[in-house]
Amino acid sequence: MSNLTLLEQEILKPSAALVEDVSRIKGDIMLLGVAGKMGPSMARLARQAIDIAGSGQRVIGVSRFSDPASRAALEASGVETIAADLLNEAELAALPDASNVIYLAGHKFGTTGKEAFTWAMNAYLPGRVAEKYRNSNIVAFSSGNVLPFVPVTSGGVSEETNPEPIGEYAQSCLGRERVFEYFSQKNNTPMLIYRLNYAVDFRYGVLVEIAKSVLSGKAIDLRTENVNVIWQGDANEVAIRSLLHCTAPAKMLNVTGPETLSTRWIAEQFGTIFNKQPNFIYESAGTALLNNASECHRLFGYPKVTVREIIELTATWMQEGGEALNKPTHFQERSGKF
């Protein structure tokens, strides 16, 4: 495990492009909703890049911090933290100003049965944040779930395609986008709407879910037979660097890897490594939620960590007993119920 930890530290180092870009970002960087899946590693990455660049910005992470250990780990890495409930008007108002805001707050799993809370988090809160930080650059996280299912041969949906969200989670995500767009136009606030499909890491994500199914012999549903993924470290770099590409009106940006991957192929790769035969059920529906991220690749280049590297490293991590987060993506969900 010590070798894997060192390897992880190596591939999570900021790229030269990120270091150059953070030196051009003026002012502090605040991450709202920092304690989720991507926030801690993104905050640490920003801190590392700033330290290498010597540009001196503060990195501030805001969350309720229900897990004190996550807060302590961020502070140990040089990230300043503030405990706040963003839905509490007084606590939101008390947050310090920041020239650059990365908005990570949101609610997905458990939407069914908590629809009102989901809409409050995903569509009401963005308006409050947009007013509070009207003079900041804002990168606002969204989801590819707002986009329509398309044929797997289509190459994915580009930013010009009209959204067609299925289910209340996806609808509330579109609400989040529209509210941010409105305040970008109203207040001339530079923004970038960051549509992600799907970040993966050794500990969670589409590849981990497929690998677990192969190891356990669990049947793998092929109705959604194709998927896009991007290594979390690469997705984090894009989010930070996107602060230099915020515009008013807000810019839309699809963020994922360049491949349209086959779920069957991914499972077969893990099957070869684990010496296990994957178990498949159902036939492909012929459509999936797929992003065309060519604009992202034009701006930032292709991801530095490849899919085959992620598969090999994920398999090794699992075989050697590496920790896993119990945070499934439900990438095979087709009815919009989360």
Side-chain angles (χ1 to χ4, degrees):
M1 286 304 299
S2 60
N3 288 339
L4 281 175
T5 302
L6 290 173
L7 176 60
E8 182 183 27
Q9 291 173 354
E10 184 65 29
I11 63 175
L12 288 178
K13 285 182 178 177
S15 68
L18 175 61
V19 172
E20 180 180 351
D21 275 1
V22 297
S23 70
R24 297 166 52 212
I25 294 172
K26 306 302 180 186
D28 298 333
I29 300 174
M30 176 178 286
L31 292 86
L32 298 178
V34 74
K37 287 189 291 190
M38 294 179 67
S41 59
M42 187 185 303
R44 287 193 292 269
L45 180 67
R47 181 71 269 160
Q48 276 187 285
I50 290 166
D51 289 343
I52 294 169
S55 47
Q57 300 101 315
R58 299 160 66 201
V59 178
I60 305 163
V62 180
S63 174
R64 287 189 297 265
F65 289 114
S66 54
D67 178 10
S70 67
R71 184 177 188 180
L74 283 172
E75 291 181 342
S77 64
V79 176
E80 301 175 39
T81 64
I82 300 172
D85 179 353
L86 296 175
L87 281 174
N88 183 300
E89 288 290 333
E91 293 182 23
L92 177 61
L95 292 178
D97 292 336
S99 298
N100 304 282
V101 172
I102 300 178
Y103 182 88
L104 298 158
H107 185 253
K108 180 176 183 180
F109 303 118
T111 293
T112 301
K114 294 185 71 175
E115 290 84 357
F117 176 74
T118 300
W119 280 91
M121 281 296 298
N122 292 351
Y124 166 76
L125 181 57
R128 308 307 305 134
V129 169
E131 284 280 44
K132 163 76 176 174
Y133 291 103
R134 62 170 60 195
N135 297 317
S136 305
N137 297 311
I138 300 176
V139 171
F141 266 58
S142 185
S143 169
N145 285 85
V146 304
L147 298 170
F149 281 79
V150 293
V152 297
T153 56
S154 68
V157 177
S158 69
E159 292 84 354
E160 294 79 17
T161 301
N162 290 328
E164 294 180 27
I166 298 173
E168 292 218 30
Y169 164 68
Q171 291 164 11
S172 72
C173 288
L174 180 59
R176 174 172 50 203
E177 291 189 4
R178 295 304 193 215
V179 170
F180 271 123
E181 285 183 276
Y182 168 75
F183 283 101
S184 176
Q185 294 171 8
K186 174 178 178 284
N187 297 330
N188 202 36
T189 302
M191 295 187 189
L192 182 141
I193 309 296
Y194 180 107
R195 284 178 175 163
L196 178 63
N197 248 17
Y198 291 94
V200 295
D201 181 73
F202 303 140
R203 299 170 184 82
Y204 81 92
V206 172
L207 300 189
V208 169
E209 291 168 38
I210 294 173
K212 283 182 176 179
S213 294
V214 173
L215 272 175
S216 67
K218 179 182 176 182
I220 298 168
D221 186 342
L222 289 181
R223 283 175 292 187
T224 299
E225 193 178 346
N226 296 86
V227 68
N228 300 135
V229 302
I230 183 170
W231 171 245
Q232 179 179 270
D234 288 316
N236 285 344
E237 289 214 359
V238 169
I240 298 165
R241 296 177 67 192
S242 288
L243 288 166
L244 293 174
H245 297 273
C246 297
T247 61
K251 177 179 177 64
M252 294 288 172
L253 188 69
N254 291 347
V255 180
T256 196
E259 304 96 346
T260 296
L261 295 169
S262 159
T263 303
R264 181 188 293 274
W265 178 83
I266 295 169
E268 288 170 347
Q269 300 307 300
F270 282 119
T272 299
I273 296 170
F274 297 147
N275 195 29
K276 286 183 173 288
Q277 184 66 37
N279 178 22
F280 301 110
I281 57 172
Y282 305 124
E283 296 293 324
S284 172
T287 60
L289 289 173
L290 298 171
N291 275 3
N292 177 331
S294 56
E295 172 65 3
C296 175
H297 304 146
R298 181 186 73 83
L299 291 173
F300 304 112
Y302 287 108
K304 65 182 180 182
V305 181
T306 68
V307 169
R308 285 185 181 268
E309 287 175 308
I310 301 168
I311 289 173
E312 292 168 4
L313 294 170
T314 298
T316 303
W317 185 266
M318 295 177 69
Q319 287 172 321
E320 299 202 9
E323 64 174 337
L325 300 178
N326 186 27
K327 294 184 177 181
T329 63
H330 295 273
F331 75 95
Q332 292 162 319
E333 173 61 42
R334 300 184 66 84
S335 64
K337 296 184 183 298
F338 292 98

